[in-house]
Amino acid sequence: MSTDCDVIIIGSGIGGATLASALAPTGARIMVLERGEHLPDSPDARDDVAIFERGVYRSSEEWLGADGKKFLPGNYYYVGGNSKFYGAVMYRYRAQDFLPRRHLRGASPGWDLSYADMEPWYARAEALFRVRGTAAEDPTEPPRSGPYPHPAVPDEPAIRDLRARLGKAGVHPASLPLALDIDAWLRRGKTGWDAFPNTGGAGKIDAEVGPLADALAHPNVTLLTGAQVIGLETDPAGGQVVAALVRRDGRTQRLTARHFAVAAGAVQSAALLLRSANAAHPKGLGNRSDQLGRNFMNHNTSAMITLNPFIRNDSVYQKTLCFNDFYNDDAGAGAPLGNVQLLGRITGNILKAQVPGLPRPLARAIASRAFGWFLTSEDLPNPDSRVLVRGDDIVVDWQRSNMDAHHMLIRRTRQVMRRAGFPVVLVRIFGNKTTSHQCGTARLGADPARSVVNPDCRSHDLPNLWITDASVLPTSAAVNPALTIAALALKAGKALGDRLSREGQGG
Ligand SMILES: Cc1cc2nc3c(=O)[nH]c(=O)nc-3n(C[C@H](O)[C@H](O)[C@H](O)COP(=O)(O)OP(=O)(O)OC[C@H]3O[C@@H](n4cnc5c(N)ncnc54)[C@H](O)[C@@H]3O)c2cc1C
C-alpha cells in the first residue's frame, strides 16, 4: 500500500510529535505512526494505588538484561509516549554540558554542537511546551535569548519553608522549569503529576497536548494509532529507505514515503533499525559506524527522602524546587556531580508501593513528614553499553558509569539536608528497570565514522532516514532530557523542511 506521504514519523513521543509540529506548517504530507493508543481518562488516572501499586498503565512488554533475565521496564506506549507520565521538568542542558569535561571516573566527550548553536532551538522548544520558570535563581542557568515563556509554578507553603531552609544551608534553591499549567492540573484532581498519567488533556504540556495537537490542527498531518512499525525496507542498493512495515489490527501493511523519521524511543528506535538489517546494511540501517545501539545511557539516579519529625509536609504537588550547586564543579570533588530536584509529592500509598513490607498507617505517617528528592548524575557514553536484538527479544546491556560521582552527590546532598534541619535522610539508588532517561543509542556527531546521525539528526548513511528522539543525545548530562530532545527535533524539522521544499514537496 502506498501512503502518498512525504514523511512518515515513527512514534508520537517528544521527538516524533515535535518533529511533526515543526513540519506541519510546510504543507508536507505527514503521517505519524504510533504503536500505542490514546491514554483513556478514568478515575485510575489520579489514584496512587492504581498507578504505583497496581501498575495499571504499565506495558507487559519485557526486555532482557545482560544477565539474561527478563525485566519489566518503566517504558510507556501511548500517544505522546513517555511524556504522558513525565514530571514535566524541561531543562536546558547547561553550557558546559556541550564541552568535553573530566568526571570523577572518565570523561564526557562534548558535542559537535555548542550551546550557542542550540540556544535558538531551546527557546522555541520552551515556547512549544509553554515552559514556566525563572532565569534569576540558578547560577548554572545558561545564557538565554529571552525570558521563560511563563512565570515559575509557585511553591506551596511547605516548599517555601524548604526553600528558605536550603538557602540558610548554603545552596542556591531555584524554581524547576516546568511544562505545566498548575491550575488546570489541580482542577482535575489534587495530586502531584510526576509519574501520573496526563489524561483529560489539561495540566501537563506533554508531547500529545503540546506539539502533536498543534501538528494535527493542520490538514496535511495524520496520526495512525495501534500501528507498530516492525521493519524498514531500503531499495536493493541500500541507497534510500523506501517503506515501513506496519503491524496493525493483526495485519502487516507496507507504507511508502519519501522520508522516514524514527522516533520510537532510544531503546525501540535502536531495536527497529537493528532489526531492519538487510544485504546492503548487514549491521542494521544507518549503522556503518557500528555505533547504532551502543552508548546506551540512562542517568545515575536516586530517590532521597528527608525527614524531621517536627516538620510536616502538607504540600499537594511539591515538585517546584531544585539546586545545582554540585552540578558543574563540586569544590571538594573537583568534578561535576549532578542535579538535585524535588520528586512529586510522596503519599503513603506511593511509599507503600516502593516498600511493600511497610504497614500502610506507618507509610502514611512517614509520608506526612517526608520530602522526596530526585538526584541525577551523568552516565557517560560507552560503546559497550548497548541495546541488541536477539530473536524477538530486546536486550539492554546497560554498563553503568561514573557511580562514584553519584555516591558523592548523595553524600553532599545528605550534608545539605542535615544543615537544613532534616536529621533523617534515606536513599534508594534506582536500578536498571528505571529506563526513563534512556538515550544515546544513535549518537549525533559530525564524523560518520563515530556517529549515527549528523547534527541535523539525519543518518550519515541513508539520506532520507532521520532519527529524532532520545537516541541521538551524544551525552546524557545530568538534567532531564525532554527539552533537549525537543530542541533537536525542531532543528531536524528545519533541515528536513528545507530539504522537502528543495525537492518540491513542501507547501
Ligand atoms: C515517569 C517518568 C517521568 C519522567 N520525567 C521527566 C521529566 O520530568 N523531564 C524530562 O525531561 N524527562 C522526563 N522523563 C523522560 C522523558 O519522558 C523521555 O526522555 C522522553 O519522553 C523520551 O521521548 P522520546 O521521543 O525519545 O521517546 P518516547 O517517549 O519513548 O516516545 C516513543 C514513542 O514511540 C512509540 N513507539 C515505540 N516503538 C514503536 C514502533 N515500533 N512503531 C510505532 N511506534 C512506536 C511509543 O509508543 C512512544 O509513543 C520521564 C519519564 C518517565 C517514564
Side-chain angles (χ1 to χ4, degrees):
M1 174 183 158
S2 161
T3 56
D4 208 18
C5 258
D6 294 316
V7 186
I8 281 180
I9 299 175
I10 300 160
S12 66
I14 296 274
T18 302
L19 179 68
S21 79
L23 292 173
T26 67
R29 293 151 304 176
I30 298 154
M31 179 175 280
V32 181
L33 301 176
E34 167 53 52
R35 152 183 174 162
E37 298 293 347
H38 291 278
L39 192 55
D41 196 13
S42 81
D44 282 347
R46 295 300 180 96
D47 178 343
D48 51 8
V49 173
I51 299 164
F52 294 91
E53 275 187 65
R54 297 196 346 253
V56 297
Y57 294 101
R58 298 191 76 148
S59 162
S60 58
E61 181 180 305
E62 294 179 315
W63 297 340
L64 275 178
D67 55 4
K69 291 198 185 121
K70 293 207 163 178
F71 68 97
L72 205 55
N75 207 47
Y76 295 96
Y77 305 98
Y78 294 100
V79 175
N82 286 283
S83 72
K84 295 305 293 180
F85 294 81
Y86 79 157
V89 176
M90 284 300 228
Y91 258 120
R92 298 177 178 210
Y93 274 24
R94 291 7 224 165
Q96 293 83 345
D97 289 322
F98 293 87
L99 303 170
R101 52 177 172 168
R102 205 175 56 74
H103 282 261
L104 263 188
R105 294 282 172 267
S108 187
W111 289 38
D112 290 335
L113 291 168
S114 67
Y115 174 75
D117 294 330
M118 287 293 289
E119 201 287 332
W121 305 108
Y122 274 130
R124 282 173 220 193
E126 283 174 349
L128 189 62
F129 284 86
R130 295 165 242 160
V131 178
R132 276 74 171 157
T134 170
E137 297 164 347
D138 184 344
T140 70
E141 182 78 38
R144 307 173 53 90
S145 53
Y148 278 89
H150 303 274
V153 176
D155 291 343
E156 294 162 284
I159 307 306
R160 263 203 305 279
D161 175 60
L162 189 58
R163 189 186 277 259
R165 286 172 171 276
L166 288 171
K168 283 191 196 133
V171 292
H172 296 81
S175 299
L176 270 172
L178 290 166
L180 180 90
D181 177 341
I182 185 64
D183 297 327
W185 179 263
L186 293 177
R187 264 199 301 280
R188 172 72 181 71
K190 302 268 184 281
T191 69
W193 58 81
D194 200 358
F196 280 71
N198 192 32
T199 59
K204 283 195 262 190
I205 297 93
D206 59 35
E208 181 191 21
V209 171
L212 190 65
D214 288 359
L216 291 173
H218 294 256
N220 49 311
V221 183
T222 51
L223 168 71
L224 213 58
T225 62
Q228 181 169 8
V229 178
I230 54 171
L232 292 175
E233 283 181 7
T234 66
D235 58 31
Q240 298 263 346
V241 182
V242 291
L245 300 179
V246 185
R247 194 166 289 152
R248 190 162 188 255
D249 297 331
R251 287 185 305 128
T252 301
Q253 299 172 19
R254 187 172 174 279
L255 302 183
T256 58
R258 304 185 76 84
H259 289 267
F260 294 81
V262 179
V267 170
Q268 295 288 356
S269 287
L272 173 63
L273 292 166
L274 289 167
R275 281 187 176 129
S276 303
N278 61 25
H281 297 273
K283 288 187 296 187
L285 291 196
N287 194 21
R288 294 210 170 113
S289 63
D290 194 27
Q291 293 303 301
L292 181 66
R294 296 184 184 271
N295 305 298
F296 174 81
M297 295 169 281
N298 196 28
H299 279 156
N300 298 317
T301 55
S302 294
M304 176 180 275
I305 286 183
T306 56
L307 281 162
N308 176 331
F310 302 105
I311 301 176
R312 283 191 71 84
N313 181 1
D314 57 5
S315 66
V316 171
Y317 50 87
Q318 172 178 283
K319 194 178 175 69
T320 51
L321 208 63
C322 59
F323 57 89
N324 278 321
D325 292 75
F326 309 124
Y327 193 90
N328 277 330
D329 205 0
D330 173 70
L337 299 186
N339 164 271
V340 182
Q341 62 185 251
L342 280 168
L343 279 167
R345 176 77 165 96
I346 297 179
T347 61
N349 290 334
I350 294 176
L351 194 57
K352 166 96 183 132
Q354 298 304 316
V355 191
L358 206 59
R360 204 174 294 274
L362 182 57
R364 290 207 175 112
I366 295 173
S368 69
R369 282 156 179 82
F371 292 87
W373 298 89
F374 186 62
L375 277 58
T376 304
S377 307
E378 181 158 353
D379 186 17
L380 307 174
N382 166 8
D384 295 330
S385 179
R386 62 194 297 199
V387 173
L388 299 154
V389 288
R390 198 175 291 156
D392 287 341
D393 286 325
I394 292 178
V395 181
V396 179
D397 180 0
W398 178 27
Q399 313 258 328
R400 264 193 139 139
S401 65
N402 202 27
M403 275 304 281
D404 286 358
H406 193 59
H407 288 299
M408 193 165 291
L409 178 66
I410 293 170
R411 281 201 292 280
R412 291 276 188 274
T413 308
R414 194 191 296 267
Q415 290 160 357
V416 170
M417 295 304 169
R418 294 223 165 109
R419 289 202 299 275
F422 297 96
V424 182
V425 179
L426 309 169
V427 178
R428 172 179 281 189
I429 296 177
F430 288 116
N432 69 340
K433 291 181 192 162
T434 310
T435 53
S436 39
H437 289 186
Q438 58 184 269
C439 65
T441 52
R443 68 205 320 251
L444 168 155
D447 181 355
R450 298 172 54 200
S451 54
V452 177
V453 295
N454 73 13
D456 284 330
C457 299
R458 183 157 70 93
S459 160
H460 287 298
D461 305 345
L462 289 149
N464 69 339
L465 174 64
W466 306 72
I467 305 176
T468 60
D469 60 16
S471 319
V472 299
L473 299 180
T475 64
S476 67
V479 289
N480 318 54
L483 191 76
T484 303
I485 301 168
L488 284 170
L490 289 173
K491 185 172 186 301
K494 170 78 170 78
L496 176 48
D498 288 349
R499 210 174 168 83
L500 288 167
S501 69
R502 280 201 304 277
E503 290 169 1
Q505 299 300 321

